[in-house]
Amino acid sequence: MGNETNDLLLEILASVKSLQHEQGEFAAALDAVNGRVNTLAGIKAVHDQAAKATPKGTPALRPQPQPLAQHLSTDVERRGSLLALDGEDEARAPSGQISPALPASPSLDSGRRSSTSSKIILTTYPSQSGIDPLPMDWGNKDPNKRGPVIVSRNHNTIRRRNAIGAHGGSYSIYYALAVASKNLTLDHKPDFTNTEPAADIGPFPTWHDPKKIVAMDPLGHLAPWLFKDLTAREDVEIRPTIAVTKAHMKIPELENSVRAGRLKPDGKICLNEQGELAVTKFAVEPVWYLPGVAERFGIDEGTLRRSLFENTGGSYPELITRSDIKLFLPPIGGLTVYCFGDPSKMSDPTVRLALRVHDECNGSDVFGSDICTCRPYLIFGIEEAVKEAQQGGSGVVIYFRKEGRALGEVTKYLVYNARKRGTDRASEYFKRTENIAGVKDMRFQALMPDILHWLGIKKIDRMLSMSNMKHDAIVEQGIPIHERVPIPDEMIPEDSRVEIDAKIHAGYFTNGKIMTMEELSNVQGRAWEDVDH
């Protein structure tokens, strides 16, 4: 009897495992279908909105190049062409404008086929033979008239580009390295099967306002599918600059939050007693509309282009020679949105929204350094965002890659050295940074609100940030902030009092006291050799 029972239990267990496996396969297939449905719904919504705004029979627009500052155009003409051509165009190139082929390295495997041509194209010009960029009318509601972002330099696409730079932001350098080392060929075509967005979003009126979104492509999450017919017809490469997925998040401090009763598991957002969270994530690569970026900073487009060219080592000469191209994909980090709860609620003005805008700090966020409040404030922001979502609202954390106030980690560590080898007083906090970098901060929050416009956020009920720069940039873009929430005092590490007290004195929001310079001189950080017992 015992053996028969064991055999029966084993058979039942095997059946359960089989059902679980089949259920998993079904769930994966269903999720893939949902992704395609979300994409189709997004494409339909974009086209429907365009149809409402565009009279029948309106022809597609082909924007004309706008002249840059006179000193740029005349300087380019005076210096002459930088262009090197290959193939059929070489015979038409003026004398002295062809760069000779670089010598091949004898150490390379000559049996492996190269994916590059023998001539180097240094730059291009609007009137050059064969140059025919696809139209780009930034802000047009009709996606067919607005056009896709085309930046690839592969053989079929290089003459149709309407953007300068490269996909991948700062990672574009690794792409170049992969091509150079022959680990990747330029003719590789991405297969976007099952990569559709995991959540539907938009379109919102701000997507079509060229003054509201200037630092990202509002159609970047739909591009390969929205312009599928164009890809096939023109044989050009169109890639997404936004990806949307779902995930679980595990952070040790959140388990403590559950134990302390600040977070309560609900099985939907906070999944269990370990504080595991369900989250929808949006990764965004920067796409700059240069006229809009220049206007946001209060400068002319020519000045912006020249500075970008000269201060990146002359890496992008088309910033100077192609005034007809208005888009630039800069080699910088992007951002990630972490949405807790239903993503559609982010744009619903009838529900409350809690938001944390956080700039990257690898030392604290990842490795727990206590010299600043970054990780504690990030944890607090996540916790408060989850609470808001659990109460029927929306909770959002946006993480920007702007390490060390966009000065970089090397500069940040040099500042740390200067502080710790001195007296490390709050009264001298910003002076240390200015001595080394020349400025206090290079994050320049003017472009930050673009992601809020893309998400459809119309107001912020609880802003989980003390930064006056972030607050002012958001409010100036027409998004009201109803409440500002500082980090609780009990979450501030002792060694970070130098930072937070100096920032409060400089304009950061606080419900508490703003110290005088004399009082700041008495706030001193821990020395390297000091040990807490």
Side-chain angles (χ1 to χ4, degrees), residues 465-486:
S465 170
M466 299 164 69
S467 169
N468 52 321
M469 291 174 64
K470 293 173 183 175
H471 170 273
D472 294 348
I474 291 171
V475 172
E476 285 171 7
Q477 279 292 302
I479 301 174
I481 295 174
H482 297 157
E483 180 187 3
R484 301 169 73 179
V485 185

Side-chain angles (χ1 to χ4, degrees), residues 11 21 117 152-153 279 285 342 440 532:
E11 185 178 342
H21 178 71
S117 70
S152 170
R153 290 175 64 93
V279 61
E285 291 179 0
D342 183 355
K440 293 179 182 178
D532 294 330

Side-chain angles (χ1 to χ4, degrees), residues 104-126:
S105 170
S107 63
L108 294 178
D109 179 6
S110 59
R112 299 176 69 181
R113 179 178 173 271
S114 173
S115 57
T116 59
S117 70
S118 61
K119 301 297 181 183
I120 299 174
I121 299 177
L122 298 179
T123 194
T124 59
Y125 291 89

Side-chain angles (χ1 to χ4, degrees), residues 262-274:
R262 296 193 303 272
L263 278 186
K264 300 187 183 301
D266 59 6
K268 294 180 179 179
I269 301 171
C270 184
L271 301 176
N272 50 42
E273 297 290 334
Q274 289 73 47

Side-chain angles (χ1 to χ4, degrees), residues 83-94 97-99 118-124 128-129 159:
L83 181 64
L85 303 168
D86 65 338
E88 59 180 309
D89 290 332
E90 183 173 340
R92 292 195 293 271
Q97 293 184 11
I98 306 253
S99 290
S118 61
K119 301 297 181 183
I120 299 174
I121 299 177
L122 298 179
T123 194
T124 59
Q128 180 190 333
S129 174
R159 289 171 171 80

